[in-house]
Structure formats: C-alpha cells, structure tokens
Amino acid sequence: MLTHLDPSAKLRRSLSLPGHNLRTFGASELTKVLGEALLIPGVPERVPAVDRPLFEATLGPHLFHSYAGRTHPLLVRHLCRDLTDGQALLDPFVGSGTVLVEGVRKGLQTIGCDVSPLSLRLSRLKATPLPKSMQQPLLERAAQVCEASLARVKKRLSPPRNYDDPRSYPPHVYLELCGLRAEIARVCEQDAPLGEVLLLVFSALVVKASNQRSESSTASVERHIGKGMVSRWLQNKTEELVRLERAFWSAEQKPIPPKLILGDARTVLHPSAGCKLATGSVDRVITSPPYLGTYDYLNHHLRRYAWLGIDPSPIERDEMAARRHRLPLGKRRQIHEADTWNWLSAMERLLKVGGQCYILVGDSVVEETLLDGAAPIERAAESTKLEVVASASVERPHVVRTVEPLPPRREHLLCLVRRQ
C-alpha cells in the first residue's frame, strides 16, 4: 500500500475521500476486512519523483482517464485477496473498470455490466493489458497524429466535420479538436485497435479542453489553452498510458479478458432478458451502485459522447438514481428501493451458494434530507437469499452543500452472503 507517500499531498477526490469514525457490525473476521478496506490511505494527486515508479507500478491503468466517483483500487484489491485463479468476479455497475482491472490482475474471470458504452470501452482498455507488440506502434501513431494535427493548426485548415457544440470550447481549441479527431479517424480506418486506444486517450482530454469546469460540474470556466497544446496533450497522454501499462502488468501474467455486457443491471442480468450467465456461476460480486441523487453520469460525459459517437438516449433513459431526476422525494425513494431489489435479485441468481457480495455505497442528500445509503440494500436483501452478515462505515465529507447543517455523511461497505 502507498502508506509512505507524502501525507501533505493534495488528495484526488474520486479516489480518496478521507474517512474516520469507523463503525462495524456483524461477523468479526469480516468486519475487520471491511474496516481495513474503508480506511485504506488516500491516493495522492502529486507524488515525489522518487516514489513515482512505485506509485505507477501499484496503480497502473487506474491512473488513466478521470471518472468521478471511482472506487479506490486498493479497496477492491483488499476485497479480492482470498480469491484464486479462475474464480468469477462480477461488477454490475462497472464504471471505469476498477473492479475488472483488479480481477484481471488477480487472474480471475471478470464480468462487467453497465448502461454506458463509454464505461465498457474504457473498462476493456484498462483491464486488457496492451500487448508489447502494440505499444511501440501506438506511440508512433500518436506522434504521427500529433504532427498532422499541428500541421492543420499551422495552416488554419477548416475541420472536415463538426462533433460537439462549438460553444463548449474556446474557438481555436474546438477547431484543433475537430482536426485531431479527424486524424484519429484515419487511424481507426487503417488499424482499428490502435484507433480505439487513441479515441479513449482523446476522451481523457475532452473535458480538460472544454469550458466545463469538471466532469461533476457543468459550471463554465475560462480556459487559457495555446494553439497546438491539445495535440501535444494527446501524444503525452499516450506515452503516459504505455508507461503505466509497462509498470503495472507482469510479463508472466496470462490474463483472462473481461466479459462485458452492455445494459441495465436491473434487467439485462436476468434470464428473461437473454442473459447467458449461468445461475450460481459467480464466486464474488464487488460493486458500488449509484448513490441516490448524488451523481449524474449522463452530464458528466456528454462532451465525450459527442466526440466518440455514443448515443446518450439509452443512458438518459436507464441511468439509475441520477441527480437530474426531478421527482418528489417520496417517489424517488420508492423507485430507488425497487431498482435496488431488481439488481440485487440478479446477484442472488448469479452468486454461488456461499458466495459473497460486497457493496460500497454512500449516504445521499436529496431535498436537504440525509438518506442512509445502506438501508435500501438491507431492506431489499430481506426478500432474497442474500444475507447481510457484516458491514462497516466511516464518515465522509458531504459532496453537496445544504442551507442547514446535516448530520455526518457516511460511506458503507456491506458483505452479503448467498444462502441456500
């Protein structure tokens, strides 16, 4: 673990919200595991040069591509310690692929589900080691794309087509992004695997190049980005990705590629939806389902969907518990309870008898009301064969501001076991 890194370094919010005041319930051997997982030290954003090799070898592709609300990779690694080669690990809300990366690294059969194509594409990239034979060609292609894009900028060439709303970017940045995207499209035509990697590298830069303050904030900010800078970012980010890959994956590993399922976990993992995963085929579930009213992943990634050609309408329709859902609090809670039962019942079917389901979920604030994040899961489990045998929780900072002070917000880690 990275316990020796500079404690004064700024912490990356999505990976390392500070926690304290640990509370536990249930079987002592499991509460110890849960408590240790929740109290794993945060991931620094800035690392001393002397520690950088260890930092990158420890986290590797987890450091590639921002994604709000990511689970701490070392928490997942801690929960996988007792699994053995070939066992099956499932995450029904795969996000940016944290659970899959750790599962593949451990030699497990990994399965991920998500309603967002971006999540699946990003998870596939991060959880599939980049073959050594592909690394140098990727670096060369990135350099060529950067050079061609810089030539476009110098000649002030008009883009062959438009993608996202031009008003979301400084004018010269938008033109450069269009030209850069066109050069990547050429790579996609000539070498689809390399093109896909470059598209996801491009995706990692889009919000930074836009007028959007951050993924989780739609507020506008004035950017000062020089001509040609975005093209150089692409080359630098590709070099960083290859460096992280080389540091993280062992040459001796023979990883099992992840199995990815596009769809809504409430329905797509049930046999009635054509799910081909066999009943009782999963050894462990590790997941962090959406927190009610806390995040809005549709808006987080709208800039990226436009450039990657992703239709956002299925995500808009099916995203669970999003902040944008403007319904009375009682109705939102009712829907969330039903949603929780639907996806949890799929876990009941897929888990082996004795299999464990670890769920990380935080309290929410909706309409100035603090909502217990663990309670819907505990209630839903009562009508399944999943039993909550242990839980732990720590205090976390509030992620939304309220008019009146609220009680401390907590993040919960629950362990459910599939009974007969």
Side-chain angles (χ1 to χ4, degrees):
M1 295 183 188
L2 306 177
T3 54
H4 69 290
L5 295 176
D6 181 4
S8 66
K10 180 181 178 182
L11 296 182
R12 188 188 303 263
R13 260 182 90 81
S14 62
L15 295 179
S16 57
L17 292 176
H20 61 280
N21 190 14
L22 175 69
R23 297 177 186 170
T24 60
F25 163 81
S28 60
E29 68 278 7
L30 283 172
T31 59
K32 182 174 184 293
V33 171
L34 301 181
E36 289 173 346
L38 283 176
L39 294 175
I40 284 174
V43 178
E45 190 174 78
R46 291 187 294 272
V47 179
V50 67
D51 288 320
R52 192 75 201 180
L54 173 61
F55 182 69
E56 294 187 349
T58 302
L59 296 177
H62 292 300
L63 300 173
F64 173 72
H65 203 296
S66 63
Y67 201 100
R70 287 182 293 174
T71 303
H72 196 313
L74 300 186
L75 180 151
V76 176
R77 191 172 302 176
H78 190 71
L79 298 179
C80 290
R81 288 189 308 176
D82 60 322
L83 294 175
T84 57
D85 286 1
Q87 288 189 292
L89 173 66
L90 167 65
D91 183 354
F93 302 97
V94 78
S96 66
T98 301
V99 171
L100 300 192
V101 171
E102 289 301 314
V104 170
R105 185 177 184 269
K106 184 74 174 174
L108 308 177
Q109 298 182 58
T110 56
I111 308 151
C113 175
D114 208 285
V115 72
S116 168
L118 173 61
S119 287
L120 298 192
R121 290 167 67 176
L122 183 57
S123 297
R124 180 180 289 108
L125 173 64
K126 292 169 65 176
T128 306
L130 200 62
K132 190 173 181 180
S133 60
M134 191 175 170
Q135 293 175 9
Q136 189 57 39
L138 175 63
L139 294 172
E140 292 170 358
R141 286 284 192 166
Q144 293 165 6
V145 166
C146 176
E147 184 179 355
S149 178
L150 291 174
R152 282 178 173 272
V153 172
K154 188 174 181 179
K155 295 177 182 178
R156 300 182 181 179
L157 295 179
S158 298
R161 59 165 287 190
N162 293 328
Y163 291 86
D164 199 7
D165 185 346
R167 295 172 296 181
S168 299
Y169 307 85
H172 71 282
V173 171
Y174 180 74
L175 292 177
E176 184 174 349
L177 284 169
C178 287
L180 189 59
R181 179 63 176 80
E183 294 299 330
I184 296 174
R186 291 185 180 182
V187 178
C188 292
E189 293 172 359
Q190 299 164 3
D191 191 322
L194 289 182
E196 173 67 2
V197 177
L198 290 176
L199 281 175
L200 291 169
V201 173
F202 183 91
S203 170
L205 308 175
V206 166
V207 175
K208 180 181 176 181
S210 75
N211 295 328
Q212 185 175 322
R213 181 182 296 278
S214 66
E215 285 178 350
S216 54
S217 171
T218 55
S220 295
V221 64
E222 186 178 355
R223 305 282 193 196
H224 299 283
I225 302 173
K227 292 181 179 180
M229 189 175 292
V230 176
S231 300
R232 294 186 180 91
W233 285 351
L234 181 98
Q235 183 173 358
N236 293 339
K237 195 70 175 176
T238 306
E239 292 170 354
E240 177 190 276
L241 174 61
V242 171
R243 188 177 71 246
L244 293 172
E245 288 273 330
R246 290 171 175 171
F248 187 77
W249 299 108
S250 167
E252 290 74 34
Q253 285 179 306
K254 295 182 179 179
I256 303 171
K259 177 180 178 61
L260 298 168
I261 301 169
L262 177 63
D264 184 342
R266 293 169 294 184
T267 56
V268 75
L269 296 176
H270 290 277
S272 58
C275 179
K276 296 182 180 179
L277 297 178
T279 298
S281 61
V282 172
D283 295 279
R284 182 157 302 170
V285 173
I286 301 177
T287 195
S288 183
Y291 302 3
L292 180 60
T294 300
Y295 292 112
D296 193 342
Y297 290 108
L298 173 73
N299 289 331
H300 287 186
H301 302 296
L302 272 179
R303 304 275 70 80
R304 293 172 174 139
Y305 296 152
W307 293 100
L308 297 179
I310 293 173
D311 177 7
S313 56
I315 306 165
E316 184 173 15
R317 182 189 65 234
D318 295 332
E319 184 183 346
M320 284 174 46
R323 185 186 296 180
R324 68 180 180 278
H325 296 162
R326 302 299 182 187
L327 296 171
L329 177 58
K331 184 64 174 178
R332 295 179 73 172
R333 295 179 72 170
Q334 181 183 2
I335 292 171
H336 188 60
E337 296 263 355
D339 289 343
T340 300
W341 186 88
N342 281 327
W343 73 260
L344 205 58
S345 66
M347 301 306 100
E348 173 195 30
R349 180 185 78 83
L350 293 171
L351 270 171
K352 295 178 179 178
V353 173
Q356 295 172 327
C357 175
Y358 288 102
I359 303 173
L360 179 69
V361 65
D363 293 344
S364 304
V365 176
V366 180
E367 296 181 9
E368 305 283 315
T369 302
L370 183 69
L371 304 176
D372 186 330
I377 296 166
E378 293 168 342
R379 285 192 290 268
E382 290 175 356
S383 57
T384 71
K385 294 180 180 179
L386 296 173
E387 179 185 353
V388 180
V389 295
S391 66
S393 70
V394 292
E395 289 185 15
R396 301 289 197 200
H398 281 282
V399 295
V400 295
R401 294 180 180 178
T402 57
V403 175
E404 298 294 333
L406 291 173
R409 171 181 171 267
R410 301 191 71 83
E411 190 170 42
H412 312 267
L413 183 56
L414 296 85
C415 178
L416 290 71
V417 172
R418 170 68 160 86
R419 299 304 189 191
Q420 290 283 356

